[in-house]
Amino acid sequence: AQSVTQLGSHVSVSEGALVLLRCNYSSSVPPYLFWYVQYPNQGLQLLLKYTTGATLVKGINGFEAEFKKSETSFHLTKPSAHMSDAAEYFCAVSDNTGFQKLVFGTGTRLLVSP
Amino acid sequence: KAGVTQTPRYLIKTRGQQVTLSCSPISGHRSVSWYQQTPGQGLQFLFEYFSETQRNKGNFPGRFSGRQFSNSRSEMNVSTLELGDSALYLCASSLEVGAKNIQYFGAGTRLSVL
């Protein structure tokens, strides 16, 4: 069964600082990996996804993530944080058995201070 | 193109009642999935529908049910409501089935059970 671990329920950064949100996955088959963002009182918005191919994936709003099979990791980064990045971020994994089911991590709340 | 629409946005019910939530997918999308989001359990998969057929189901009691109509709209029903059913219920649609397809989420229905 697939699972996702997100280290740190809260991450605080200053505006302009590097953002690093950690995600480790467990999967018995090659995984498909996703990062979603959730703003207050809203649903989930896809930031980026990894299915196959290039291991460095670029997403929206300047975010990117690197798939590292040897470390079973898919950490999310952004070189320079903006106030508007404050939100909750979820890493998710799905297997390639044909079903849509996403297994989510517990989420990391990103706080950005001026 | 309109996004995923969930109605109503907010609901207040009492224990023992039943509730029906509605989801209209993005035009042309044929797959609909439902998730429950709570502070304690996080985001959990409920079910997945495609072409009016339930393809996959999460680990929830039989009080939780769903269906999909020929126009791909979906409903989920919770009978005999319990306090623990209070949650944000999210619907997601995708163009096709398959684990690597992007799921687009609605804003959710927030259910409060008193």
Side-chain angles (χ1 to χ4, degrees):
Chain A
Q2 288 74 32
S3 66
V4 171
T5 301
Q6 290 185 243
L7 288 176
S9 59
H10 291 80
V11 169
S12 295
V13 300
S14 299
E15 195 172 19
L18 171 72
V19 175
L20 171 60
L21 305 182
R22 300 179 185 274
C23 172
N24 288 88
Y25 69 91
S26 172
S27 176
S28 58
V29 297
Y32 298 139
L33 295 159
F34 305 81
W35 274 101
Y36 282 89
V37 61
Q38 186 176 35
Y39 297 98
N41 297 317
Q42 294 188 28
L44 302 173
Q45 180 184 7
L46 181 73
L47 285 173
L48 48 80
K49 70 170 185 175
Y50 169 80
T51 54
T52 58
T55 56
L56 182 61
V57 180
K58 295 187 184 299
I60 63 171
N61 302 337
F63 285 95
E64 63 181 38
E66 186 171 10
F67 171 65
K68 292 187 176 180
K69 184 179 178 181
S70 61
E71 299 177 8
T72 60
S73 69
F74 191 56
H75 301 332
L76 182 70
T77 60
K78 182 174 180 178
S80 177
H82 294 166
M83 296 294 290
S84 60
D85 294 327
E88 188 146 24
Y89 292 79
F90 293 92
C91 182
V93 64
S94 68
D95 61 37
N96 56 13
T97 58
F99 292 118
Q100 294 281 112
K101 175 184 175 182
L102 288 171
V103 175
F104 287 89
T106 51
T108 297
R109 185 167 298 279
L110 176 66
L111 307 170
V112 183
S113 56
Chain B
K1 188 181 276 191
V4 178
T5 303
Q6 292 188 245
T7 56
R9 288 293 313 277
Y10 302 92
L11 264 179
I12 299 175
K13 294 286 186 179
T14 56
R15 278 183 299 173
Q17 287 186 311
Q18 75 165 19
V19 67
T20 299
L21 312 181
S22 180
C23 172
S24 294
I26 293 171
S27 177
H29 285 197
R30 300 193 294 162
S31 174
V32 173
S33 299
W34 288 89
Y35 294 83
Q36 181 196 63
Q37 185 177 23
T38 60
Q41 300 298 317
L43 282 153
Q44 293 186 287
F45 171 80
L46 280 158
F47 7 74
E48 172 198 344
Y49 286 89
F50 180 79
S51 292
E52 303 178 65
T53 302
Q54 187 181 90
R55 297 184 72 242
N56 198 5
K57 189 176 191 302
N59 188 25
F60 279 82
R63 300 185 297 106
F64 291 81
S65 63
R67 59 178 177 169
Q68 186 182 34
F69 301 96
S70 58
N71 61 358
S72 295
R73 191 176 71 84
S74 178
E75 289 181 347
M76 68 163 282
N77 184 278
V78 187
S79 62
T80 318
L81 283 166
E82 300 177 0
L83 295 179
D85 298 333
S86 294
L88 180 66
Y89 290 89
L90 293 166
C91 168
S93 75
S94 62
L95 194 58
E96 295 289 345
V97 295
K100 65 180 178 180
N101 286 288
I102 296 171
Q103 294 187 46
Y104 296 87
F105 285 80
T109 294
R110 185 165 296 281
L111 172 64
S112 298
V113 182
L114 307 178

